[in-house]
Amino acid sequence: MSLNDLTLQIEDMQERVTQLHKQTNSSSSHLQQLEVMMTALAELGFAIDELQLANQQLQAKNEELAIAHQTIAAERQRYQQLFEEAPDAYLVTDTLGVIVEANSAAASLLGSSPRYLPRRPLANFVPKEEREFFRTQLSQLSRGEGIFEWEVNFSPPKQPPVFTLVRVAVVRNSRDTNISFRWLIRDISQRKQAEEALRKLSQTEREKTTQLELALTELQRTQEKLILNEKMASLGQLMAGVAHEINNPVGFIYANIAPATEYTNDLLHLIELYQQHYPHPVAEIAQQLEIINPDFITEDFPKLLESMKIGAERIIQIVVSLRNFSRVNEAECKRVDIHEGIDNTLLILQHRLKQQPHRPEIQVIKEYGQLPQVECYPGQLNQVFMNLLCNAINALDELNKEHSLEEMKTYNYTIYICTEVNEKNSVAIRIADNGSGMSKEVQQKIFDPFFTTKSVGQGTGLGLSISYQIVVEKHSGKLQCISDLGQGTEFVISLPICQRKLP
Ligand SMILES: Nc1ncnc2c1ncn2[C@@H]1O[C@H](COP(=O)(O)OP(=O)(O)OP(=O)(O)O)[C@@H](O)[C@H]1O
Ligand SMILES: [Mg+2]
């Protein structure tokens, strides 16, 4: 029975009760009963009205529900379509990584049909050697830890491997328990290839740049070496030539001094005998004796010969030094006395150390230690001493540019040369001057080839760069500079006593 029928019946009963009420006036108890019935029937009518209203509302809700249901179905279809047709691979797995759902992009990425993917563990598509790591990631995801995005290398059957970036979202139920994972898998093989190509390209570029830099450095070195070789060769040849030319005549002079002394002594002795036995010679001889003053000759001539001997000995010493210095025939590494090399160099520089119109003589203070013979290329090392000593003299010459001659008259122009044995089987040679010194900026560049503070034509700027090369590269030693502007300069050469591996 519908609500409407019920309402009609109740209205009918109400009618009949009203009729009964009109006909029955006999007893009051009957009347009371009828009034109770009429009240009950009236309330029943109200209840049915409310019920009818509720029914209408229910029907409206039902209609709304039906519309919502249709919308959800349409949404689901749309989602399914999106899921299916998405260009990226989408997967749903359970928390153990077993595939529940996969779109066609995922299927083609994994080299399988979408129908066969469900129930297969996703880990099966990861190469064996990377599976362990993949499973660790999965278990971390289940615990809600770990990263949600990482790179995975998939190797689908019968297909080349695919480099992907996976992004995983954890799906939780209302009790906050993980129920599944949603995977977005993006193929980044092309990006990886491009990155790799770029990396290789920049690596090649870097290598090329390094090669170019090396080639440039090598070129500079070769240039320096060429200049050095040329310098050394021409200097050496010049020195050797001059030494050879001087050697012979000075040899005659020196060799003749001894017989000349003997002859002179004989002649002087003869004059003395004549004077003893003929105390009154003839007038002409007496006059001549007066002029030449034999007593003075007797006294002065041996001195004269002695100084000639010393002079000749000095020339011979210089000739030896010149030959030693140039060492044209000694290209090999050998054990030598370092002090001999320094002394030879000083001897050659003697003329520069002497008093000059602009300054007094430069004092050379030597503090030589007990050095063993040092294994080295002696000719090249002499070149280093020459460069350092020349620089020291130049720095002392510079002083009068900043001070007046008067001021500098009392100044002690000094070069200190000190040698000692270091621990660790090496020797140290210190060459210091109390000259102009250097600023920090100049010090940073002194070993650069062609760096010079001298005016054009005064210096090549190669002295120290060549010295550095000789000490550090040729002899595995060290060349340090300690200096301050206005405080003088000290160069320290450290050389191993034995050359282990000769370059
Ligand atoms: N003892 C020193 N005191 C002050 N400055 C120095 C000293 N030694 C070197 N220098 C500075 O270092 C620069 C470079 O020296 P380096 O010997 O390489 O070249 P140069 O002396 O200028 O030229 P070259 O040696 O070819 O004649 C010098 O120009 C000078 O400024
Ligand atoms: Mg120099």
Side-chain angles (χ1 to χ4, degrees), residues 231 387-388 391-392 394-395 433 436-438 442 446 451-454 458-465 483 489 491:
K231 247 177 139 182
N387 282 331
L388 297 185
N391 282 350
N394 292 341
D433 62 77
S436 54
M438 284 176 256
V442 169
I446 52 170
F451 172 77
T452 180
T453 54
K454 291 167 192 162
Q458 296 275 293
T460 59
L462 279 174
L464 285 179
S465 116
S483 182
T489 303
F491 278 94

Side-chain angles (χ1 to χ4, degrees), residues 222-403:
T222 320
Q223 194 184 7
E224 274 174 55
K225 271 185 197 153
L226 275 173
I227 295 173
L228 171 70
N229 285 348
E230 211 172 298
K231 247 177 139 182
M232 288 291 283
S234 47
L235 192 71
Q237 270 167 9
L238 188 76
M239 281 185 177
V242 169
H244 180 77
E245 287 306 316
I246 296 174
N247 201 35
N248 285 345
V250 91
F252 305 148
I253 295 171
Y254 188 74
N256 288 336
I257 286 175
T261 312
E262 210 181 302
Y263 298 159
T264 318
N265 284 341
D266 288 351
L267 285 173
L268 287 171
H269 182 63
L270 189 67
I271 292 173
E272 210 180 297
L273 281 178
Y274 268 114
Q275 278 180 327
Q276 268 176 29
H277 294 287
Y278 303 100
H280 304 291
V282 292
E284 196 181 348
I285 292 175
Q287 197 184 0
Q288 193 60 26
L289 281 172
E290 190 97 350
I291 294 168
I292 63 169
N293 190 356
D295 290 343
F296 175 76
I297 293 178
T298 314
E299 195 196 318
D300 197 49
F301 202 68
K303 283 187 201 161
L304 194 140
L305 282 171
E306 187 55 31
S307 68
M308 276 170 73
K309 193 177 157 213
I310 293 170
E313 274 170 359
R314 192 141 175 74
I315 296 173
I316 289 168
Q317 212 182 345
I318 291 173
V319 166
V320 172
S321 295
L322 281 175
R323 278 179 156 181
N324 281 347
F325 182 83
S326 61
R327 288 184 186 256
V328 267
N329 301 321
E330 290 180 24
E332 81 277 19
C333 190
K334 50 149 67 175
R335 289 181 170 275
V336 294
D337 178 2
I338 292 282
H339 296 148
E340 202 180 284
I342 303 173
D343 289 341
N344 282 334
T345 315
L346 282 170
L347 203 69
I348 290 163
L349 286 172
Q350 203 59 45
H351 68 288
R352 289 205 58 198
L353 295 166
K354 282 197 180 122
Q355 187 182 350
Q356 306 285 325
H358 60 274
R359 60 149 171 85
E361 187 178 351
I362 298 171
Q363 301 297 318
V364 177
I365 300 176
K366 294 190 229 170
E367 281 178 34
Y368 286 172
Q370 285 283 319
L371 294 197
Q373 292 214 318
V374 175
E375 207 172 4
C376 63
Y377 295 91
Q380 295 195 0
L381 219 53
N382 286 347
Q383 182 69 20
V384 175
F385 300 143
M386 178 65 111
N387 282 331
L388 297 185
L389 287 166
C390 276
N391 282 350
I393 298 170
N394 292 341
L396 287 164
D397 283 342
E398 287 285 302
L399 282 175
N400 71 325
K401 285 192 182 161
E402 284 151 33
H403 304 272

